[in-house]
Amino acid sequence: MSETNLTSERPKPVAGKAPRRSSKALDWRAALETEAKLSWLFVDIHRLFSKDFEARTKALGMTRVQWRVLFTVDRIQGGLSQTELADITEMEKAPLGKILDRLEEGGWIIRKNHPTDRRARLVYATSKIEKYADRLAQAAKATFAQMLQGVRQSEVRELIARLEKLKRNLGGADD
Amino acid sequence: MSETNLTSERPKPVAGKAPRRSSKALDWRAALETEAKLSWLFVDIHRLFSKDFEARTKALGMTRVQWRVLFTVDRIQGGLSQTELADITEMEKAPLGKILDRLEEGGWIIRKNHPTDRRARLVYATSKIEKYADRLAQAAKATFAQMLQGVRQSEVRELIARLEKLKRNLGGADD
DNA sequence: TTGAGTTAGTATACATGGATACTATATACG
DNA sequence: CGTATATAGTATCCATGTATACTAACTCAA
C-alpha cells in the first residue's frame, strides 16, 4: 500500500562513509540473517493475527488479549484468583489487572472478594459471554481459517509440537 | 515459580451458577482449543525470546525492536527515509518515529534532511554500531542457540517456510 | 503472640504497538 | 498558475507488555 516515491532520487551515500563496510562486519550480518528471519516471523504473525481478529470483533470492542483472558475465565469455572489467572495465561499480574478492569467495565466479568483471604479477589465470567460466544468464536475460527489456508491438520499438529519445543528451550511453561 | 496457595481452599461455585454449561457452549470451546494453542505460541515465543535477548544486552539499553530497526538501517546503506524504513520493518510510521528518537538519543543513528524533499528525513547508522556489533551479534546468536537447542538446520528452514506461508495467508509481505 | 518473610493486588514508569489527526510539503491536474 | 490531492513525519490516545515498588493481608516460626 504505502509505496514510496523517494527511491529514484535517493542521494548517494555521504562522501567518505561508503567504504566502511569491512569483511568482519559482513560476517555477523550474514550469520544472523536466517535466524533473525525466523524470530521476526513470530512477531509478524502475531501482529497480523491480532489485526485480523480485532477487525472482526471491532463492534464488541474486544481485543485479542482480553479474549484470551475471558476465554480462560469462562473455561475454568469456579472462580479464579488473579494470581492463578496470571499463571495460566502466562501474564504478569499488573497488566492482567488492567485487562480485568476493562473486562469488568465491559460487563464480561465480575470480581468478588475471596471468602477467607481478604487480599484475594476471585474472577467470574458473567452471562454476557453466552450472548456473544458465537460471534467471538466465529471471529476466531475465521482468522484461524485465514491463517491456515492450505495447511493440513497433521501439519498443524506438527507445527505446534515444534513450536512448543522452541518455547520450552526458552524456558517457557509447557501448558 | 509463582505457585498459589489458594487452590485447596477455593470456594465452591456460586449457587445457581454451576449448571449453566450447555453442550452447545462446550462445542465452540473444544473446537477452538487446538488452534488457540497454536496462535498463542507465537506470542509466547516472541515474549520469551525478547526477554532472553534483552537480558543479554541490558548493559547497552538496547531493546529487541530497536535492534531490528538498527540492524536494518545498518544493513541497507545509503540513507533510508522513515517511510522506506517503516515499509521494510513492517511497522507503522508513528511507532517507528519514536524508536528512531530513542536510537538517536543513544547515538546509534542520525537523521539528516533530505536534499530535495523538505518533508523527508534520511536515517543513517553512526559508527557506534561498529564498536558494539560483536556484542549485539553475540547476544542474538546466544538467544537463537538457546531457542534452537536440538533442532536441525533442515528443520529450521522447513519451519521458516511454513511460518512464511501462514504470514502470507494473513496478508503479510513476503520479505 | 509477635515479628519476619511471603503473597495478592494495585500503582507507576517506560517501551512498544495500532489508529487517527495534524502540519508542512510535494505533486498533479485543470 | 493555482488548487485539489497525496505524502512525510509527528503528536496524541489508548492497549498491551516489562520491571519495580507499594499496601494490605497472610503465614510461619521463635
Side-chain angles (χ1 to χ4, degrees), chain B residues 130-150:
Chain B
E130 294 176 40
K131 201 182 306 181
Y132 296 103
D134 282 344
R135 283 171 65 179
L136 288 165
Q138 283 304 317
K141 287 185 67 160
T143 300
F144 287 131
Q146 178 79 34
M147 176 173 73
L148 295 174
Q149 271 171 50

Side-chain angles (χ1 to χ4, degrees), chain A residues 12-158:
Chain A
K12 296 293 170 288
V14 174
K17 189 155 183 298
R20 79 159 178 74
R21 169 72 24 100
S22 69
S23 63
K24 180 185 170 196
L26 277 171
D27 277 351
W28 64 263
R29 281 180 192 79
L32 287 174
E33 295 272 352
T34 299
E35 288 155 322
K37 185 188 285 190
L38 172 60
S39 73
W40 291 116
L41 277 167
F42 300 124
V43 194
D44 294 340
I45 291 172
H46 164 57
R47 179 175 37 77
L48 292 164
F49 189 99
S50 296
K51 201 171 173 179
D52 189 291
F53 176 78
E54 284 166 24
R56 295 177 196 275
T57 60
K58 193 158 57 180
L60 295 178
M62 174 72 62
T63 70
R64 181 154 159 57
V65 170
Q66 286 173 25
W67 167 239
R68 182 181 199 175
V69 172
L70 180 59
F71 186 85
T72 303
V73 172
D74 191 58
R75 179 164 54 89
I76 303 175
Q77 298 276 304
L80 290 165
S81 75
Q82 294 188 195
T83 299
E84 290 175 305
L85 204 48
D87 283 351
I88 294 170
T89 57
E90 298 180 48
M91 299 175 62
E92 297 298 317
K93 286 188 297 182
L96 175 66
K98 284 187 288 189
I99 288 161
L100 291 173
D101 288 345
R102 291 179 202 111
L103 287 173
E104 195 165 30
E105 279 173 34
W108 297 99
I109 59 139
I110 51 172
R111 287 189 271 204
K112 300 183 180 178
N113 292 328
H114 191 285
T116 61
D117 187 337
R118 280 189 294 166
R119 297 168 305 176
R121 305 172 72 185
L122 298 176
V123 179
Y124 294 89
T126 67
S127 60
K128 182 172 181 178
I129 193 175
E130 295 176 37
K131 201 182 306 181
Y132 296 104
D134 282 345
R135 283 171 65 179
L136 288 166
Q138 282 305 316
K141 287 185 65 157
T143 300
F144 287 131
Q146 178 80 34
M147 176 172 73
L148 296 174
Q149 273 172 49
V151 181
R152 287 191 304 278
Q153 195 64 38
S154 60
E155 286 182 276
V156 173
R157 281 194 298 272
E158 195 178 284

Side-chain angles (χ1 to χ4, degrees), chain A residues 2-7 9-14 17-18 20-21 24 28-29 31-49 51-52 64-65 67-68 71 74-81 83-84 87 89-90 92 112 114-117 119-120 122 124-126 129-130 133-134 137 140-141 143-144 146-151 153 155-156 158-160 162-167 169-172 175, chain B residues 2-7 9-14 17-18 20-21 24 28-29 31-49 51-52 64-65 67-68 71 74-75 77-81 83-84 87 89-90 92 112 114-117 119-120 122 124-126 129-130 133-134 137 140-141 143-144 146-151 153 155-156 158-160 162-167 169-172 175:
Chain A
S2 61
E3 284 305 317
T4 175
N5 64 354
L6 289 174
T7 309
E9 49 177 292
R10 185 186 306 142
K12 296 293 170 288
V14 174
K17 189 155 183 298
R20 79 159 178 74
R21 169 72 24 100
K24 180 185 170 196
W28 64 263
R29 281 180 192 79
L32 287 174
E33 295 272 352
T34 299
E35 288 155 322
K37 185 188 285 190
L38 172 60
S39 73
W40 291 116
L41 277 167
F42 300 124
V43 194
D44 294 340
I45 291 172
H46 164 57
R47 179 175 37 77
L48 292 164
F49 189 99
K51 201 171 173 179
D52 189 291
R64 181 154 159 57
V65 170
W67 167 239
R68 182 181 199 175
F71 186 85
D74 191 58
R75 179 164 54 89
I76 303 175
Q77 298 276 304
L80 290 165
S81 75
T83 299
E84 290 175 305
D87 283 351
T89 57
E90 298 180 48
E92 297 298 317
K112 300 183 180 178
H114 191 285
T116 61
D117 187 337
R119 297 168 305 176
L122 298 176
Y124 294 89
T126 67
I129 193 175
E130 295 176 37
D134 282 345
K141 287 185 65 157
T143 300
F144 287 131
Q146 178 80 34
M147 176 172 73
L148 296 174
Q149 273 172 49
V151 181
Q153 195 64 38
E155 286 182 276
V156 173
E158 195 178 284
L159 191 55
I160 290 176
R162 289 190 175 175
L163 294 179
E164 282 178 336
K165 178 171 187 176
L166 301 196
K167 181 178 169 184
N169 282 345
L170 287 167
D175 288 326
Chain B
S2 58
E3 284 306 319
T4 176
N5 63 354
L6 289 173
T7 309
E9 49 176 292
R10 184 187 305 143
K12 297 294 171 287
V14 175
K17 191 157 183 296
R20 78 161 179 75
R21 168 74 22 103
K24 179 184 169 196
W28 63 263
R29 281 179 192 79
L32 287 175
E33 295 270 352
T34 300
E35 287 154 322
K37 184 187 285 190
L38 172 59
S39 72
W40 291 116
L41 277 167
F42 300 125
V43 194
D44 295 338
I45 291 173
H46 165 57
R47 179 174 37 77
L48 293 164
F49 189 99
K51 202 170 173 178
D52 189 292
R64 181 154 159 58
V65 170
W67 167 239
R68 181 180 199 175
F71 186 85
D74 192 58
R75 179 163 54 89
Q77 298 277 302
L80 290 165
S81 75
T83 299
E84 290 176 305
D87 283 351
T89 57
E90 299 180 47
E92 297 298 318
K112 300 183 180 178
H114 192 284
T116 61
D117 187 338
R119 298 170 305 177
L122 298 176
Y124 295 88
T126 67
I129 193 175
E130 294 176 40
D134 282 344
K141 287 185 67 160
T143 300
F144 287 131
Q146 178 79 34
M147 176 173 73
L148 295 174
Q149 271 171 50
V151 181
Q153 195 63 39
E155 287 182 275
V156 173
E158 196 177 284
L159 190 56
I160 290 177
R162 287 189 175 173
L163 294 179
E164 282 179 336
K165 179 172 186 175
L166 302 194
K167 180 177 169 184
N169 282 345
L170 287 168
D175 288 325

